[in-house]
């Protein structure tokens, strides 16, 4: 069984910025990095200034001419080697993720495996990004090929310290760009290891750079004239800030925001599969996934499924097979949502507040929590809680359930659980979300399919992974060519 109850690991060296192939210190301002499973200080992260962003951009700009001039087949050779290094270091990277983020070991390992899959997609890009060519008039050829943008930036959240950076790093650099990564200040250590392993794989200095910090670094990225494009993954509040500021500075921006995912459970749903999948979705990674189930809309007679869910959720125990949430503030926020919902009339079927984890009393734990008879107007049904909490809203029919889902300003994911193909189709066609599932609690599209939501869950055109990433990180050049003389008399002369 997965566990977080390993002895506390030794303190790690301070995280450092990685600029032009060297690790450097940036100033004297630091934040402590905590192990959320016991609250101990495990490292420090520098609070860099705009100057570090400028140094990273200069390093990227210096590396760009040579890197973009190599062929894509040559560039992905580095990523093949990097992929092998990730594979070799699965145990070490999983332990690091567990230490800085808190997620249990099997979840951390799944994150490393997903980073490997993302890297494999980037390795396949030479087979996909082949360009187009056609004889459009006799003797006249049109050709389209893709070119990198230059120095690009990727700003990432805390909840997947390794996987989310891999949504952008391998594809952006395989496509010929140089990158500045801004990790979450809460989990900066995995990004440092990424820089080390990319260097070991042979990535030239300056192609990949890391600048640690918070708001000041993000604002400097949005403002820097040397950065051509910015991807952001995080809360909707900050996604809007980054999208507005980056586009106001005439950059290409794709900003993925928060989520409030609805699972619609119909009375004919398979009770065993539905109950285990819904609980896994709301509690996996302690509910700190942008694809986590947050509201279950139970349509008609579904009490038998709800009972099984509660039974199943009781087997998920903080400190044993459930990690902590990221911080003390996050725990307080989540518990406040539960308490307010209870006061407003919701029934607490399973209460995860204030769990005791022996030997980890300083950890930021919240147990799985299931609330029934939540009204759609309650804060817990509308706002992103980002913890292992499921709000059950009751609906008389599928249209009422869809009305609840459609009213959410978010639109990352939605799923329906049913044995009826027609009902499944009815819901997936009408759900207002970018990623929909049928009998799947976490409908993440895997490579080569692209990841991205709708509405307030994403600002900008396109998606962040898979085929969508090719549009994001390249621009097309359209070349029209004529060599033979007889073509000179046609209208394209
Ligand atoms: P966050 O928005 O607080 O932070 C994201 C990044 O923005 C971090 O690097 C942080 O340092 C920076 N930042 C924070 N405040 C800022 C400010 N005022 N100005 C500029 N930059 C700022 O998000 P988080 O708490 O790290 O991550 C959790 C959130 O991310 C959740 O809302 C979750 O749904 C979302 N998320 C979304 C997706 C998706 O694909 N849509 C994926 C993962 C996480």
């Amino acid at each position: 069984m997965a566990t977080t109850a390993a002895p506390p690991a030794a303190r790690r060296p301070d995280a450092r910025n990685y600029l032009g192939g060297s690790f450097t210190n940036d100033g004297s301002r630091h934040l402590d990095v905590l192990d959320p499973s016991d609250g101990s200080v495990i490292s420090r992260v520098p609070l860099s200034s705009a100057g570090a962003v400028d140094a990273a951009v200069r390093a990227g700009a210096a590396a760009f001419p040579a890197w973009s001039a190599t062929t894509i087949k040559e560039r992905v050779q580095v990523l093949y080697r990097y992929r092998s290094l990730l594979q070799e270091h699965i145990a070490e990277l999983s332990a690091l993720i567990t230490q800085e983020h808190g997620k249990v070991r099997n979840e951390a390992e799944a994150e490393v495996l997903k980073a490997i899959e993302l890297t494999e997609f980037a390795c396949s890009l030479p087979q996909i990004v082949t360009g187009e060519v056609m004889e459009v008039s006799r003797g006249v050829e049109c050709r389209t090929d893709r070119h990198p943008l230059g120095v690009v930036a990727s700003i990432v959240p805390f909840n997947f310290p390794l996987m989310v950076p891999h949504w952008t790093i391998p594809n952006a650099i395989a496509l010929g760009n140089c990158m500045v990564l801004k990790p979450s200040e809460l989990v900066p250590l995995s990004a440092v290891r990424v820089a080390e392993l990319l260097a070991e794989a042979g990535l030239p200095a300056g192609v990949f750079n890391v600048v640690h910090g918070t708001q000041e670094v993000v604002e400097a990225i949005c403002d820097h004239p040397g950065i051509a494009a910015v991807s952001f993954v995080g809360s909707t509040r900050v996604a809007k800030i980054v999208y507005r500021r980056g586009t106001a500075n005439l950059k290409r921006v794709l900003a993925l925001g928060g989520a409030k995912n609805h699972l619609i459970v119909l009375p004919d749903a398979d009770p065993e599969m539905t109950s285990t999948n819904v609980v896994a979705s709301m509690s996996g990674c302690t509910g700190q996934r942008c694809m986590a189930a947050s509201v279950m809309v139970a349509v008609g007679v579904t009490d038998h499924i709800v009972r099984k869910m509660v039974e199943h959720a009781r087997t998920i125990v903080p400190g044993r097979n459930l990690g902590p949430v990221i911080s003390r503030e996050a725990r307080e926020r989540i518990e406040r949502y539960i308490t307010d919902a209870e006061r407003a009339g919701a029934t607490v079927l399973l209460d995860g507040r204030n769990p005791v984890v022996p030997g980890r009393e300083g950890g930021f734990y919240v147990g799985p929590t299931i609330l029934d008879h939540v009204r759609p107007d309650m804060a817990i049904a509308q706002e992103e809680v980002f913890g292992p909490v499921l709000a059950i809203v009751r609906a008389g029919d599928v249209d009422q359930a869809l009305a609840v889902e459609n009213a959410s300003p978010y639109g990352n994911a939605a799923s329906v659980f049913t044995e009826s193909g027609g009902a499944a189709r009815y819901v997936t066609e009408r759900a207002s979300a970018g990623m929909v599932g049928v009998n799947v609690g976490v409908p993440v599209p895997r490579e080569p399919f692209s990841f991205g939501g709708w509405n307030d869950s994403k600002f900008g055109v396109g998606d962040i992974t898979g085929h969508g990433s090719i549009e994001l990180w390249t621009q097309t050049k359209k070349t029209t060519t004529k060599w033979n003389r007889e073509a000179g008399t046609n209208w394209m002369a």
Side-chain angles (χ1 to χ4, degrees):
M1 175 159 292
T3 176
T4 50
R11 190 177 164 124
R12 306 217 176 221
D14 287 355
R16 286 187 297 166
N17 291 340
Y18 184 67
L19 306 174
S22 305
F23 285 100
T24 58
N25 287 317
D26 184 331
S28 55
R29 295 179 305 148
H30 286 83
L31 269 185
D32 285 340
V33 180
L34 305 185
D35 176 343
S37 75
D38 62 6
S40 63
V41 176
I42 53 166
S43 183
R44 294 192 313 163
V45 59
L47 295 176
S48 310
S49 58
V53 173
D54 186 52
V57 175
R58 277 189 280 112
F64 181 69
W67 182 243
S68 58
T70 54
T71 65
I72 188 167
K73 278 178 179 278
E74 286 173 73
R75 291 195 295 260
V76 301
Q77 295 312 311
V78 176
L79 293 171
Y80 277 109
R81 292 193 290 274
Y82 175 66
R83 184 231 174 256
S84 301
L85 289 170
L86 287 177
Q87 189 80 38
E88 273 171 40
H89 292 274
I90 289 174
E92 179 220 318
L93 290 165
S94 309
L96 178 57
I97 293 168
T98 293
Q99 193 189 6
E100 70 172 339
H101 177 279
K103 63 180 69 177
V104 294
R105 192 58 75 89
N106 60 347
E107 291 172 343
E109 190 174 317
E111 183 171 345
V112 183
L113 295 177
K114 187 65 204 170
I116 291 172
E117 185 180 39
L118 288 154
T119 307
E120 287 167 353
F121 176 75
C123 290
S124 77
L125 282 169
Q127 325 310 324
I128 302 173
V129 187
T130 52
E132 294 175 331
V133 59
M134 185 184 172
E135 190 180 37
V136 291
S137 302
R138 190 73 196 109
V140 179
E141 177 189 290
C142 277
R143 168 197 170 118
T144 302
D145 45 16
R146 292 192 174 272
H147 292 254
L149 303 174
V151 180
V152 299
S154 174
I155 303 160
V156 290
F158 79 82
N159 62 326
F160 284 93
L162 194 78
M163 181 190 79
V164 170
H166 283 77
W167 283 359
T168 54
I169 301 166
N171 294 340
I173 64 179
L175 291 164
N177 301 283
C178 295
M179 174 166 272
V180 179
L181 178 75
K182 207 302 273 176
S184 164
E185 65 279 14
L186 300 173
V187 292
L189 305 176
S190 297
V192 171
R193 235 7 227 133
V194 170
E196 288 169 351
L197 293 176
L198 280 170
E200 195 177 331
L203 191 72
V207 175
F208 177 68
N209 306 278
V210 180
V211 181
H212 294 286
T214 55
Q215 182 173 351
E216 188 176 341
V217 172
V218 172
E219 289 175 357
I221 286 172
C222 293
D223 294 347
H224 200 295
I227 294 179
V230 177
S231 73
F232 171 87
V233 181
S235 62
T236 292
R237 183 181 69 81
V238 184
K240 286 179 177 172
I241 294 171
V242 169
Y243 188 76
R244 289 197 176 109
R245 193 156 175 158
T247 54
N249 283 306
L250 308 178
K251 295 182 198 316
R252 186 181 290 194
V253 180
L254 183 66
L256 273 61
K260 190 77 187 167
N261 305 313
H262 293 69
L263 304 188
I264 297 178
V265 174
L266 304 187
D268 71 337
D270 178 274
E272 193 56 40
M273 180 181 66
T274 304
S275 55
T276 53
N277 283 216
V278 173
V279 170
S281 178
M282 58 78 82
S283 65
C285 296
T286 321
Q288 299 174 116
R289 287 190 286 192
C290 65
M291 297 293 280
S294 184
V295 175
M296 171 176 140
V297 193
V299 179
V301 184
T302 41
D303 284 350
H304 57 298
I305 298 173
V306 172
R307 268 196 304 276
K308 270 185 176 293
M309 280 166 43
V310 174
E311 267 169 45
H312 185 60
R314 280 190 205 287
T315 68
I316 296 169
V317 180
R320 199 170 83 213
N321 52 1
L322 185 76
V325 294
I326 191 66
S327 63
R328 185 170 287 110
E329 297 73 31
R331 184 184 61 195
E332 287 166 3
R333 184 195 68 235
I334 294 161
E335 293 193 343
R336 208 165 37 242
Y337 272 113
I338 301 167
T339 302
D340 289 351
E342 187 180 28
R343 286 203 186 117
T347 313
V348 183
L349 298 181
L350 186 64
D351 190 348
R353 283 170 290 187
N354 303 311
V356 176
V357 179
R360 298 272 170 169
E361 287 76 8
F364 312 132
Y365 287 97
V366 183
T369 300
I370 300 179
L371 297 142
D372 202 353
H373 302 292
V374 171
R375 288 192 317 274
D377 63 340
M378 291 181 189
I380 202 164
Q382 296 194 347
E383 295 167 17
E384 185 172 36
V385 177
F386 224 52
V389 179
L390 187 71
I392 303 176
V393 172
R394 299 285 179 155
D397 61 33
V398 75
D399 288 316
Q400 274 180 26
L402 278 164
V404 171
E405 192 279 337
N406 286 182
S408 172
Y410 295 101
N412 222 34
S415 263
V416 56
F417 285 79
T418 179
E419 293 297 290
S420 156
R425 187 62 181 260
Y426 189 85
V427 173
T428 55
E429 279 184 352
R430 289 165 179 77
S432 181
M435 293 171 282
V436 294
V438 177
N439 297 323
V440 176
V442 186
V444 173
R446 286 181 63 173
E447 281 46 51
F449 297 94
S450 299
F451 187 103
W454 283 6
N455 310 329
D456 277 4
S457 294
K458 192 189 70 186
F459 305 95
V461 178
D463 289 320
I464 200 161
T465 63
H467 291 287
S469 69
I470 301 168
E471 287 297 329
L472 175 60
W473 300 123
T474 60
Q475 52 197 339
T476 55
K477 183 170 279 183
K478 288 71 61 179
T479 310
T480 304
T481 310
K482 178 177 70 196
W483 287 115
N484 60 335
R485 286 172 200 285
E486 65 272 25
T489 55
N490 73 24
W491 64 270
M492 293 195 76

